[in-house]
Amino acid sequence: MPNRIKEEIARLKKERGAVILAHSYQPGIIQDIADFVGDSLELSRIAARESAELVVFCGVKFMAETAKLLSPESVVVLAAPDSDCSLAACMTGADLRMMKKKHPGASAVTYVNSTVDLKAETWACCTSANSVEVVNAAPSDEVIFGPDRNLGTWVATQTKKILHIWPGGCHAHSGADIRDLREKRAEWPDAEILVHPESPSVFLWEADEVLGTGGMIRHVEKSSSERFIIGTEEGMIYRLETLFPSRQFVAAGKIVCEDMGFTTPELVLKALESRDDGIEIPSELAEKAASAVRRMTEIG
Ligand code: SF4
C-alpha cells in the first residue's frame, strides 16, 4: 500500500474520531490497517463499546447493519458499499412470516448473517458459536431456523428441539469440495481439521472441531497441534498466520467470498473522507431487530 494512503488513513482516523473494523475474512492488507479484526458479533460489540463518532466497517452489508443496531449513535460506513452476503439474501422477513404461519407454535432463531428485515421478525439471533445455546433457550419445543441450512442441520444434531430449517446457504462455503479436504488430510495427517458450520454437512463429519472464526482462534491458542486444516473462507488463513506465526495453516478447499475481497485501502480512505450518514435502518425495524440481537448477547 502506498505510504500516502497509509498516512492519510491515520490522519483522518484521528481527525474524525474513527475506528476501523475488519472481519477475519477480509484481505490481509485490510486486516493490517484495521484497529480491530474479528467476527461480525465481536466487531459489533467493539463498535458499541468504543462509541466512536465514525465506524468504518470492512466486511459485508449485514455486518455494518448489525454494528449500527448495537451502536445507533455512531455513523457506520461500509467501506465497500457493494459488498453483500449471498447467505443473508436467501431469506426475507416475508419468508419467515410464511414459516410462522406453517409452524404457529415455533419460535424463530435467525443466524446473525441476515438482513435487518429478517432480524426484525425473529425471537433471537445467534452466531455459529452460540447457535445451540440460543436454540435451547427458545421458549418452545419447535424452532424455525434460518437462513443457513448447513448450520441448521448441524444445530439439529446438537439439540432436542425440533427444527424447521430454511434451505438457504452461503455460496462460498456450500461450494466447498470434500475431495480437497481429503487431499489435504492425506498430505498433513497430523493436522487438526477445523471446519466452519456453514460448510456442507459432509465437511462437518470429517472435522475434529466445528467452530466459528472466533472459536477457531481460541481453539488454536490452547491446542498443542502444530498444523491445522481450516475449513472456512480463505481470509481466515491470513488471520491465523498473523496471530500464530509458529504454527502452520492450510485451507481445506477453495472457499472464497468475492464480496469480502471488494474492500481496498482506497475505499477505506474514501469512507473516512465521507460526510454522509452511512448505514440507515428504518425506524420501524430498528428496535425489533436490535432486540433480537440483544437477546442473543444476553443468552451467550
Ligand atoms: S462467506 Fe458466505 S456467509 Fe460470509 S459474508 Fe461471504 S457469502 Fe456471506
Side-chain angles (χ1 to χ4, degrees):
M1 174 183 17
N3 270 345
R4 182 190 59 81
I5 294 185
K6 214 172 175 178
E7 284 160 18
E8 262 309 272
I9 287 175
R11 187 186 67 77
L12 279 169
K13 214 170 63 165
K14 208 168 166 194
E15 187 182 299
R16 300 216 47 205
V19 64
I20 301 175
L21 308 180
H23 190 268
S24 306
Y25 295 163
Q26 285 284 292
I29 193 167
I30 301 299
Q31 295 191 27
D32 288 348
I33 56 177
D35 296 300
F36 299 95
V37 183
D39 63 34
S40 58
L41 186 64
E42 279 165 2
L43 294 176
S44 293
R45 282 179 162 147
I46 289 167
R49 185 191 74 203
E50 295 288 303
S51 306
E53 278 174 45
L54 171 65
V55 174
V56 174
F57 208 113
C58 306
V60 297
K61 190 173 171 201
F62 81 82
M63 297 176 178
E65 287 175 344
T66 309
K68 181 68 181 175
L69 287 173
L70 291 184
S71 43
E73 303 307 320
S74 301
V75 172
V76 179
V77 177
L78 181 60
D82 295 333
S83 56
D84 212 341
C85 168
S86 63
L87 173 56
C90 284
M91 190 178 186
T92 64
D95 293 330
L96 180 50
R97 287 196 292 278
M98 189 261 290
M99 288 283 276
K100 283 177 179 172
K101 272 193 195 147
K102 228 171 145 189
H103 306 288
S107 316
V109 171
T110 298
Y111 192 26
V112 74
N113 299 30
S114 53
T115 59
V116 171
D117 160 56
L118 178 56
K119 285 184 175 80
E121 293 283 338
T122 295
W123 174 72
C125 290
C126 71
T127 64
S128 50
N130 65 15
S131 49
V132 176
E133 233 175 321
V134 175
V135 164
N136 285 339
S140 57
D141 292 336
E142 294 186 32
V143 172
I144 299 165
F145 189 94
D148 190 62
R149 62 179 179 276
N150 292 331
L151 178 60
T153 304
W154 179 74
V155 172
T157 66
Q158 313 285 314
T159 179
K160 290 197 171 107
K161 304 253 179 183
I162 297 161
L163 259 59
H164 304 290
I165 301 167
W166 186 257
C170 156
H171 76 286
H173 286 85
S174 296
D177 186 336
I178 192 65
R179 291 170 296 184
D180 291 334
L181 170 59
R182 290 185 178 141
E183 207 174 286
K184 298 285 167 9
R185 192 180 50 193
E187 283 167 22
W188 283 14
D190 56 311
E192 273 190 80
I193 303 175
L194 312 183
V195 168
H196 195 283
E198 281 169 32
S199 307
S201 298
V202 65
F203 268 70
L204 311 191
W205 287 108
E206 301 267 343
D208 293 306
E209 301 287 341
V210 177
L211 299 162
T213 52
M216 286 182 185
I217 291 170
R218 288 188 289 279
H219 180 83
V220 173
E221 203 161 31
K222 60 180 195 331
S223 167
S224 55
S225 300
E226 292 299 319
R227 305 207 284 187
F228 299 86
I229 298 169
I230 303 298
T232 193
E233 213 277 343
E234 286 183 6
M236 190 62 192
I237 301 288
Y238 183 85
R239 176 80 180 132
L240 289 165
E241 285 174 347
T242 305
L243 291 172
F244 308 104
S246 63
R247 319 279 189 97
Q248 285 181 281
F249 303 92
V250 69
K254 195 164 175 49
I255 307 177
V256 178
C257 175
E258 300 79 6
D259 288 67
M260 280 286 177
F262 288 172
T263 320
T264 61
E266 288 78 6
L267 285 174
V268 173
L269 183 56
K270 199 170 165 197
L272 284 165
E273 286 164 345
S274 138
R275 293 285 160 183
D276 70 26
D277 294 335
I279 298 281
E280 290 191 64
I281 296 177
S283 53
E284 68 278 13
L285 299 179
E287 189 36 48
K288 287 187 202 157
S291 112
V293 175
R294 278 197 298 268
R295 182 165 277 141
M296 162 181 77
T297 59
E298 283 157 20
I299 294 170

PDB file of all heavy atoms in Angstrom, residues 23 25 60 62-63 84-88 111 113 170-173 198 233 255-260, ligand 1:
ATOM      1  N   HIS A  23     -13.518  -7.666   9.282  1.00  0.00           N
ATOM      2  CA  HIS A  23     -13.853  -9.076   9.529  1.00  0.00           C
ATOM      3  C   HIS A  23     -12.645  -9.955   9.195  1.00  0.00           C
ATOM      4  O   HIS A  23     -11.814  -9.590   8.352  1.00  0.00           O
ATOM      5  CB  HIS A  23     -15.053  -9.477   8.651  1.00  0.00           C
ATOM      6  CG  HIS A  23     -15.611 -10.811   9.007  1.00  0.00           C
ATOM      7  ND1 HIS A  23     -15.191 -11.975   8.407  1.00  0.00           N
ATOM      8  CD2 HIS A  23     -16.536 -11.167   9.934  1.00  0.00           C
ATOM      9  CE1 HIS A  23     -15.856 -12.998   8.941  1.00  0.00           C
ATOM     10  NE2 HIS A  23     -16.682 -12.532   9.874  1.00  0.00           N
ATOM     11  N   TYR A  25     -12.358 -12.400   7.409  1.00  0.00           N
ATOM     12  CA  TYR A  25     -12.286 -12.863   6.020  1.00  0.00           C
ATOM     13  C   TYR A  25     -11.772 -11.774   5.077  1.00  0.00           C
ATOM     14  O   TYR A  25     -11.685 -11.986   3.873  1.00  0.00           O
ATOM     15  CB  TYR A  25     -13.671 -13.279   5.501  1.00  0.00           C
ATOM     16  CG  TYR A  25     -14.321 -14.471   6.174  1.00  0.00           C
ATOM     17  CD1 TYR A  25     -15.682 -14.705   6.021  1.00  0.00           C
ATOM     18  CD2 TYR A  25     -13.588 -15.375   6.923  1.00  0.00           C
ATOM     19  CE1 TYR A  25     -16.299 -15.796   6.608  1.00  0.00           C
ATOM     20  CE2 TYR A  25     -14.202 -16.463   7.524  1.00  0.00           C
ATOM     21  CZ  TYR A  25     -15.555 -16.669   7.365  1.00  0.00           C
ATOM     22  OH  TYR A  25     -16.169 -17.746   7.936  1.00  0.00           O
ATOM     23  N   VAL A  60     -19.173  -7.091   5.005  1.00  0.00           N
ATOM     24  CA  VAL A  60     -20.331  -7.037   4.097  1.00  0.00           C
ATOM     25  C   VAL A  60     -21.495  -6.345   4.809  1.00  0.00           C
ATOM     26  O   VAL A  60     -21.446  -6.098   6.014  1.00  0.00           O
ATOM     27  CB  VAL A  60     -20.724  -8.447   3.592  1.00  0.00           C
ATOM     28  CG1 VAL A  60     -19.604  -9.057   2.772  1.00  0.00           C
ATOM     29  CG2 VAL A  60     -21.097  -9.355   4.750  1.00  0.00           C
ATOM     30  N   PHE A  62     -24.589  -6.878   6.004  1.00  0.00           N
ATOM     31  CA  PHE A  62     -25.306  -7.221   7.242  1.00  0.00           C
ATOM     32  C   PHE A  62     -24.443  -6.941   8.479  1.00  0.00           C
ATOM     33  O   PHE A  62     -24.965  -6.675   9.565  1.00  0.00           O
ATOM     34  CB  PHE A  62     -25.796  -8.683   7.222  1.00  0.00           C
ATOM     35  CG  PHE A  62     -24.750  -9.700   7.593  1.00  0.00           C
ATOM     36  CD1 PHE A  62     -24.453  -9.975   8.924  1.00  0.00           C
ATOM     37  CD2 PHE A  62     -24.052 -10.389   6.621  1.00  0.00           C
ATOM     38  CE1 PHE A  62     -23.485 -10.908   9.272  1.00  0.00           C
ATOM     39  CE2 PHE A  62     -23.090 -11.318   6.948  1.00  0.00           C
ATOM     40  CZ  PHE A  62     -22.802 -11.574   8.286  1.00  0.00           C
ATOM     41  N   MET A  63     -23.126  -7.003   8.318  1.00  0.00           N
ATOM     42  CA  MET A  63     -22.225  -6.767   9.459  1.00  0.00           C
ATOM     43  C   MET A  63     -22.269  -5.292   9.873  1.00  0.00           C
ATOM     44  O   MET A  63     -22.336  -4.975  11.063  1.00  0.00           O
ATOM     45  CB  MET A  63     -20.795  -7.157   9.089  1.00  0.00           C
ATOM     46  CG  MET A  63     -20.661  -8.625   8.768  1.00  0.00           C
ATOM     47  SD  MET A  63     -19.010  -9.036   8.224  1.00  0.00           S
ATOM     48  CE  MET A  63     -19.222 -10.798   7.996  1.00  0.00           C
ATOM     49  N   ASP A  84     -22.032  -7.508  -0.350  1.00  0.00           N
ATOM     50  CA  ASP A  84     -23.234  -8.089   0.273  1.00  0.00           C
ATOM     51  C   ASP A  84     -22.966  -9.558   0.584  1.00  0.00           C
ATOM     52  O   ASP A  84     -21.884 -10.069   0.294  1.00  0.00           O
ATOM     53  CB  ASP A  84     -24.419  -7.927  -0.692  1.00  0.00           C
ATOM     54  CG  ASP A  84     -25.720  -7.741   0.069  1.00  0.00           C
ATOM     55  OD1 ASP A  84     -25.776  -8.091   1.255  1.00  0.00           O
ATOM     56  OD2 ASP A  84     -26.693  -7.250  -0.540  1.00  0.00           O
ATOM     57  N   CYS A  85     -23.958 -10.229   1.150  1.00  0.00           N
ATOM     58  CA  CYS A  85     -23.757 -11.613   1.580  1.00  0.00           C
ATOM     59  C   CYS A  85     -24.824 -12.490   0.924  1.00  0.00           C
ATOM     60  O   CYS A  85     -26.019 -12.240   1.088  1.00  0.00           O
ATOM     61  CB  CYS A  85     -23.881 -11.655   3.105  1.00  0.00           C
ATOM     62  SG  CYS A  85     -23.996 -13.307   3.783  1.00  0.00           S
ATOM     63  N   SER A  86     -24.375 -13.508   0.201  1.00  0.00           N
ATOM     64  CA  SER A  86     -25.332 -14.376  -0.506  1.00  0.00           C
ATOM     65  C   SER A  86     -26.216 -15.126   0.481  1.00  0.00           C
ATOM     66  O   SER A  86     -27.370 -15.432   0.195  1.00  0.00           O
ATOM     67  CB  SER A  86     -24.581 -15.365  -1.407  1.00  0.00           C
ATOM     68  OG  SER A  86     -23.766 -16.221  -0.626  1.00  0.00           O
ATOM     69  N   LEU A  87     -25.675 -15.406   1.652  1.00  0.00           N
ATOM     70  CA  LEU A  87     -26.475 -16.127   2.661  1.00  0.00           C
ATOM     71  C   LEU A  87     -27.591 -15.234   3.200  1.00  0.00           C
ATOM     72  O   LEU A  87     -28.752 -15.652   3.282  1.00  0.00           O
ATOM     73  CB  LEU A  87     -25.553 -16.601   3.797  1.00  0.00           C
ATOM     74  CG  LEU A  87     -26.221 -17.230   5.008  1.00  0.00           C
ATOM     75  CD1 LEU A  87     -27.103 -18.404   4.613  1.00  0.00           C
ATOM     76  CD2 LEU A  87     -25.171 -17.681   6.016  1.00  0.00           C
ATOM     77  N   ALA A  88     -27.236 -13.995   3.548  1.00  0.00           N
ATOM     78  CA  ALA A  88     -28.257 -13.074   4.077  1.00  0.00           C
ATOM     79  C   ALA A  88     -29.376 -12.859   3.057  1.00  0.00           C
ATOM     80  O   ALA A  88     -30.535 -12.682   3.435  1.00  0.00           O
ATOM     81  CB  ALA A  88     -27.609 -11.747   4.462  1.00  0.00           C
ATOM     82  N   TYR A 111     -29.782 -16.741  12.265  1.00  0.00           N
ATOM     83  CA  TYR A 111     -28.335 -16.529  12.231  1.00  0.00           C
ATOM     84  C   TYR A 111     -28.074 -15.037  12.013  1.00  0.00           C
ATOM     85  O   TYR A 111     -28.804 -14.384  11.262  1.00  0.00           O
ATOM     86  CB  TYR A 111     -27.787 -17.355  11.067  1.00  0.00           C
ATOM     87  CG  TYR A 111     -26.299 -17.529  10.980  1.00  0.00           C
ATOM     88  CD1 TYR A 111     -25.476 -17.454  12.090  1.00  0.00           C
ATOM     89  CD2 TYR A 111     -25.715 -17.835   9.752  1.00  0.00           C
ATOM     90  CE1 TYR A 111     -24.109 -17.641  11.980  1.00  0.00           C
ATOM     91  CE2 TYR A 111     -24.355 -18.031   9.626  1.00  0.00           C
ATOM     92  CZ  TYR A 111     -23.558 -17.925  10.740  1.00  0.00           C
ATOM     93  OH  TYR A 111     -22.212 -18.118  10.614  1.00  0.00           O
ATOM     94  N   ASN A 113     -26.041 -13.605  10.288  1.00  0.00           N
ATOM     95  CA  ASN A 113     -25.804 -13.347   8.859  1.00  0.00           C
ATOM     96  C   ASN A 113     -27.159 -13.239   8.161  1.00  0.00           C
ATOM     97  O   ASN A 113     -27.598 -14.151   7.445  1.00  0.00           O
ATOM     98  CB  ASN A 113     -25.010 -14.486   8.206  1.00  0.00           C
ATOM     99  CG  ASN A 113     -23.648 -14.676   8.810  1.00  0.00           C
ATOM    100  OD1 ASN A 113     -23.445 -14.403   9.990  1.00  0.00           O
ATOM    101  ND2 ASN A 113     -22.703 -15.140   8.015  1.00  0.00           N
ATOM    102  N   CYS A 170     -24.614 -20.204   2.207  1.00  0.00           N
ATOM    103  CA  CYS A 170     -23.539 -19.323   1.756  1.00  0.00           C
ATOM    104  C   CYS A 170     -22.908 -19.953   0.522  1.00  0.00           C
ATOM    105  O   CYS A 170     -22.465 -21.098   0.581  1.00  0.00           O
ATOM    106  CB  CYS A 170     -22.510 -19.187   2.882  1.00  0.00           C
ATOM    107  SG  CYS A 170     -20.874 -18.747   2.290  1.00  0.00           S
ATOM    108  N   HIS A 171     -22.861 -19.211  -0.575  1.00  0.00           N
ATOM    109  CA  HIS A 171     -22.351 -19.806  -1.819  1.00  0.00           C
ATOM    110  C   HIS A 171     -20.890 -20.231  -1.667  1.00  0.00           C
ATOM    111  O   HIS A 171     -20.461 -21.213  -2.259  1.00  0.00           O
ATOM    112  CB  HIS A 171     -22.502 -18.812  -2.976  1.00  0.00           C
ATOM    113  CG  HIS A 171     -21.486 -17.714  -2.936  1.00  0.00           C
ATOM    114  ND1 HIS A 171     -21.546 -16.676  -2.035  1.00  0.00           N
ATOM    115  CD2 HIS A 171     -20.361 -17.514  -3.668  1.00  0.00           C
ATOM    116  CE1 HIS A 171     -20.510 -15.875  -2.230  1.00  0.00           C
ATOM    117  NE2 HIS A 171     -19.769 -16.364  -3.204  1.00  0.00           N
ATOM    118  N   ALA A 172     -20.123 -19.473  -0.862  1.00  0.00           N
ATOM    119  CA  ALA A 172     -18.691 -19.779  -0.741  1.00  0.00           C
ATOM    120  C   ALA A 172     -18.476 -21.090   0.021  1.00  0.00           C
ATOM    121  O   ALA A 172     -17.750 -21.981  -0.436  1.00  0.00           O
ATOM    122  CB  ALA A 172     -17.979 -18.628  -0.035  1.00  0.00           C
ATOM    123  N   HIS A 173     -19.112 -21.228   1.175  1.00  0.00           N
ATOM    124  CA  HIS A 173     -18.940 -22.453   1.964  1.00  0.00           C
ATOM    125  C   HIS A 173     -19.643 -23.652   1.313  1.00  0.00           C
ATOM    126  O   HIS A 173     -19.121 -24.768   1.318  1.00  0.00           O
ATOM    127  CB  HIS A 173     -19.470 -22.259   3.388  1.00  0.00           C
ATOM    128  CG  HIS A 173     -18.588 -21.403   4.250  1.00  0.00           C
ATOM    129  ND1 HIS A 173     -18.658 -20.037   4.261  1.00  0.00           N
ATOM    130  CD2 HIS A 173     -17.599 -21.731   5.127  1.00  0.00           C
ATOM    131  CE1 HIS A 173     -17.763 -19.543   5.106  1.00  0.00           C
ATOM    132  NE2 HIS A 173     -17.098 -20.555   5.635  1.00  0.00           N
ATOM    133  N   GLU A 198     -21.009 -23.396   8.507  1.00  0.00           N
ATOM    134  CA  GLU A 198     -21.692 -23.056   7.252  1.00  0.00           C
ATOM    135  C   GLU A 198     -21.284 -24.006   6.125  1.00  0.00           C
ATOM    136  O   GLU A 198     -21.857 -23.973   5.035  1.00  0.00           O
ATOM    137  CB  GLU A 198     -21.342 -21.626   6.813  1.00  0.00           C
ATOM    138  CG  GLU A 198     -22.098 -20.554   7.544  1.00  0.00           C
ATOM    139  CD  GLU A 198     -21.524 -19.165   7.259  1.00  0.00           C
ATOM    140  OE1 GLU A 198     -21.018 -18.928   6.168  1.00  0.00           O
ATOM    141  OE2 GLU A 198     -21.572 -18.322   8.179  1.00  0.00           O
ATOM    142  N   GLU A 233     -13.617 -19.488   4.936  1.00  0.00           N
ATOM    143  CA  GLU A 233     -13.163 -18.550   3.904  1.00  0.00           C
ATOM    144  C   GLU A 233     -11.644 -18.325   4.031  1.00  0.00           C
ATOM    145  O   GLU A 233     -11.097 -18.226   5.132  1.00  0.00           O
ATOM    146  CB  GLU A 233     -13.924 -17.228   4.074  1.00  0.00           C
ATOM    147  CG  GLU A 233     -14.181 -16.504   2.775  1.00  0.00           C
ATOM    148  CD  GLU A 233     -13.032 -15.655   2.289  1.00  0.00           C
ATOM    149  OE1 GLU A 233     -12.136 -15.353   3.115  1.00  0.00           O
ATOM    150  OE2 GLU A 233     -13.012 -15.294   1.096  1.00  0.00           O
ATOM    151  N   ILE A 255     -12.559 -21.897  -0.672  1.00  0.00           N
ATOM    152  CA  ILE A 255     -13.745 -21.240  -0.107  1.00  0.00           C
ATOM    153  C   ILE A 255     -13.459 -19.739  -0.144  1.00  0.00           C
ATOM    154  O   ILE A 255     -12.737 -19.214   0.699  1.00  0.00           O
ATOM    155  CB  ILE A 255     -14.036 -21.724   1.331  1.00  0.00           C
ATOM    156  CG1 ILE A 255     -14.123 -23.253   1.379  1.00  0.00           C
ATOM    157  CG2 ILE A 255     -15.324 -21.093   1.857  1.00  0.00           C
ATOM    158  CD1 ILE A 255     -14.347 -23.845   2.758  1.00  0.00           C
ATOM    159  N   VAL A 256     -13.997 -19.088  -1.154  1.00  0.00           N
ATOM    160  CA  VAL A 256     -13.681 -17.669  -1.364  1.00  0.00           C
ATOM    161  C   VAL A 256     -14.971 -16.857  -1.463  1.00  0.00           C
ATOM    162  O   VAL A 256     -15.862 -17.186  -2.243  1.00  0.00           O
ATOM    163  CB  VAL A 256     -12.859 -17.472  -2.667  1.00  0.00           C
ATOM    164  CG1 VAL A 256     -12.581 -15.994  -2.908  1.00  0.00           C
ATOM    165  CG2 VAL A 256     -11.551 -18.249  -2.590  1.00  0.00           C
ATOM    166  N   CYS A 257     -15.062 -15.837  -0.639  1.00  0.00           N
ATOM    167  CA  CYS A 257     -16.207 -14.918  -0.688  1.00  0.00           C
ATOM    168  C   CYS A 257     -15.742 -13.672  -1.447  1.00  0.00           C
ATOM    169  O   CYS A 257     -14.978 -12.866  -0.921  1.00  0.00           O
ATOM    170  CB  CYS A 257     -16.637 -14.556   0.729  1.00  0.00           C
ATOM    171  SG  CYS A 257     -17.946 -13.331   0.774  1.00  0.00           S
ATOM    172  N   GLU A 258     -16.200 -13.547  -2.681  1.00  0.00           N
ATOM    173  CA  GLU A 258     -15.737 -12.437  -3.533  1.00  0.00           C
ATOM    174  C   GLU A 258     -16.074 -11.093  -2.890  1.00  0.00           C
ATOM    175  O   GLU A 258     -15.287 -10.142  -2.947  1.00  0.00           O
ATOM    176  CB  GLU A 258     -16.381 -12.503  -4.930  1.00  0.00           C
ATOM    177  CG  GLU A 258     -16.079 -13.775  -5.711  1.00  0.00           C
ATOM    178  CD  GLU A 258     -16.926 -14.964  -5.279  1.00  0.00           C
ATOM    179  OE1 GLU A 258     -17.841 -14.791  -4.451  1.00  0.00           O
ATOM    180  OE2 GLU A 258     -16.655 -16.078  -5.757  1.00  0.00           O
ATOM    181  N   ASP A 259     -17.251 -11.000  -2.279  1.00  0.00           N
ATOM    182  CA  ASP A 259     -17.673  -9.719  -1.690  1.00  0.00           C
ATOM    183  C   ASP A 259     -16.720  -9.260  -0.597  1.00  0.00           C
ATOM    184  O   ASP A 259     -16.507  -8.053  -0.415  1.00  0.00           O
ATOM    185  CB  ASP A 259     -19.100  -9.825  -1.143  1.00  0.00           C
ATOM    186  CG  ASP A 259     -20.123  -9.884  -2.268  1.00  0.00           C
ATOM    187  OD1 ASP A 259     -20.116 -10.897  -3.005  1.00  0.00           O
ATOM    188  OD2 ASP A 259     -20.895  -8.930  -2.427  1.00  0.00           O
ATOM    189  N   MET A 260     -16.152 -10.209   0.131  1.00  0.00           N
ATOM    190  CA  MET A 260     -15.190  -9.845   1.178  1.00  0.00           C
ATOM    191  C   MET A 260     -13.937  -9.224   0.574  1.00  0.00           C
ATOM    192  O   MET A 260     -13.229  -8.471   1.230  1.00  0.00           O
ATOM    193  CB  MET A 260     -14.804 -11.089   1.985  1.00  0.00           C
ATOM    194  CG  MET A 260     -15.832 -11.455   3.020  1.00  0.00           C
ATOM    195  SD  MET A 260     -15.751 -10.285   4.387  1.00  0.00           S
ATOM    196  CE  MET A 260     -17.088 -10.886   5.388  1.00  0.00           C
TER     197      MET A 260
HETATM  198  S1  SF4 B   1     -18.508 -16.024   3.411  1.00  0.00           S
HETATM  199 FE1  SF4 B   1     -20.656 -16.533   2.965  1.00  0.00          FE
HETATM  200  S2  SF4 B   1     -21.747 -16.028   4.867  1.00  0.00           S
HETATM  201 FE2  SF4 B   1     -19.741 -14.966   4.943  1.00  0.00          FE
HETATM  202  S3  SF4 B   1     -20.143 -12.963   4.068  1.00  0.00           S
HETATM  203 FE3  SF4 B   1     -19.444 -14.244   2.366  1.00  0.00          FE
HETATM  204  S4  SF4 B   1     -21.356 -15.023   1.457  1.00  0.00           S
HETATM  205 FE4  SF4 B   1     -21.888 -14.236   3.491  1.00  0.00          FE
END
